[in-house]
Amino acid sequence: MRLVFAGTPEAAVPALDALLASDRHEVVAVVTRPDATAGRGRKLLTSPVAQRAAEAGIEVLKPTRPRDEDFLARLREIAPDCCPVVAYGALLPKAALEIPDHGWVNLHFSLLPAWRGAAPVQHAVMAGDDITGASTFLIEEGLDSGPVYGVVTEDVRPDDTSGDLLTRLSHSGARLLTATMDGIEDGTLVAHPQPADGVTLAPKITVEDALVDWTAPALRVDRLVRGCTPAPGAWTRFHGERLKLGPVRPAPDRGELAPGELAVAKNAVLVGTGSHAVELGEVQPQGKKRMRAADWARGARIASGERLGL
């Protein structure tokens, strides 16, 4: 089939690579989000998908809005048979959905109908799911509600961050998406409606959502921090400034501490929660680089009894 691939972040690149390597399909163009500014220098950066497409010599389309008539006209000229999608980042209008004969097929990083929305992997980690996965489905106008072609499952490991889990899913999902394209092309694959039960939503995680509540149980704190790593990044307040947090380790046998209370040792920094203490891993003080929590405490001369979250 002639394919137009739609995607934006690094997690979409393995799927693009898998389709480029396929001897059954031709990726003739990619659709990605417009260049965006990032970093302290506010440099204009192209998306990882756009960079990979440029390396492969493929046409790159960057519509400001997918409903723009210039974009729709170019898509009609290309006349794709199918448009595979991985984390494109914009809603597709009906006019775009109707162009390819086999529609737009999305690789979504959950076992639908669980975790429909923008942040399925983060929510799976934060909810403490033991198993998650990826699904391919035919995009319709509802939110991730279209009929499903196939799924692949993935165990959620106890120490997984959302970044760890997404990396694994991006590769297993790439194989699933390629197999889905094969099945659509030869007519052996049929999409089945999602069940009405079991629907959960996974809205985007904001910076405010990533603020740690030290009165919550240690298990919830651990899941929140891992779910927000690497983005948007869990954080707390210390001496009126923001302190970013890397994954923590539960420390149920390390003494009684009030929520947010610090216990500083030579090689470890503990903090109290609503249940038992956790040990801080890496931290990033405002305006500084990431460092081991023990190095931060030593350099800032932090004493036991001081509090996070104030």
Side-chain angles (χ1 to χ4, degrees):
M1 294 189 296
R2 285 171 56 81
L3 305 178
V4 170
F5 179 89
T8 298
E10 188 65 39
V13 173
L16 176 57
D17 282 338
L19 292 170
L20 288 171
S22 172
D23 58 4
R24 295 181 58 172
H25 312 292
E26 179 188 8
V27 181
V28 294
V30 303
V31 182
T32 192
R33 299 294 292 149
D35 298 352
T37 55
R40 291 184 180 179
R42 308 309 293 167
K43 294 182 179 179
L44 198 62
L45 300 178
T46 58
S47 74
V49 164
Q51 294 174 30
R52 181 66 187 94
E55 292 170 1
I58 298 170
E59 180 179 359
V60 179
L61 305 174
K62 302 178 182 179
T64 303
R65 298 175 303 174
R67 65 181 69 255
D68 291 347
E69 189 51 46
D70 288 348
F71 165 68
L72 295 174
R74 180 57 187 141
L75 197 60
R76 293 187 189 101
E77 290 174 355
I78 295 172
D81 297 308
C82 189
C83 295
V85 184
V86 185
Y88 169 47
L91 293 176
L92 296 161
K94 184 178 180 182
L97 296 178
E98 292 175 342
I99 291 174
D101 289 340
H102 294 288
W104 297 66
V105 177
N106 192 39
L107 172 65
H108 184 75
F109 296 119
S110 81
L111 298 176
L112 291 170
W115 303 130
R116 293 177 179 174
V121 177
Q122 292 161 307
H123 280 275
V125 173
M126 290 165 59
D129 290 355
D130 294 321
I131 297 176
T132 187
S135 308
T136 49
F137 70 94
L138 182 65
I139 293 179
E140 56 183 29
E141 291 187 85
L143 176 64
D144 299 334
S145 59
V148 172
Y149 284 105
V151 301
V152 62
T153 61
E154 181 74 37
D155 290 340
V156 183
R157 299 168 186 170
D159 58 350
D160 267 340
T161 66
S162 62
D164 298 331
L165 184 55
L166 182 58
T167 296
R168 298 202 304 276
L169 287 170
S170 68
H171 288 88
S172 59
R175 295 188 291 271
L176 172 65
L177 184 61
T178 303
T180 299
M181 292 297 105
D182 293 346
I184 291 173
E185 189 271 334
D186 62 24
T188 59
L189 197 57
V190 176
H192 296 280
Q194 296 182 32
D197 296 332
V199 175
T200 51
L201 300 180
K204 181 180 178 179
I205 304 295
T206 67
V207 172
E208 289 73 23
D209 296 329
L211 174 62
V212 174
D213 175 9
W214 296 109
T215 67
L219 183 64
R220 188 179 302 171
V221 171
D222 169 46
R223 290 173 177 174
L224 174 71
V225 177
R226 288 189 293 109
C228 292
T229 302
W235 61 285
T236 187
R237 294 185 180 90
F238 184 69
H239 289 181
E241 294 188 340
R242 182 172 295 187
L243 180 70
K244 293 184 179 180
L245 303 172
V248 301
R249 289 187 294 274
D253 302 323
R254 301 292 291 272
E256 294 280 339
L257 292 172
E261 182 184 356
L262 292 169
V264 180
K266 181 178 180 180
N267 293 309
V269 178
L270 303 178
V271 56
T273 73
S275 56
H276 56 72
V278 296
E279 181 180 341
L280 297 180
E282 289 188 330
V283 300
Q284 184 176 5
Q286 194 166 312
K288 297 184 179 180
K289 296 181 180 180
R290 297 184 75 86
M291 63 186 76
R292 291 176 58 247
D295 295 335
W296 164 69
R298 189 179 306 112
R301 298 185 178 181
I302 297 167
S304 295
E306 294 194 71
R307 300 283 287 272
L308 294 181
L310 300 179

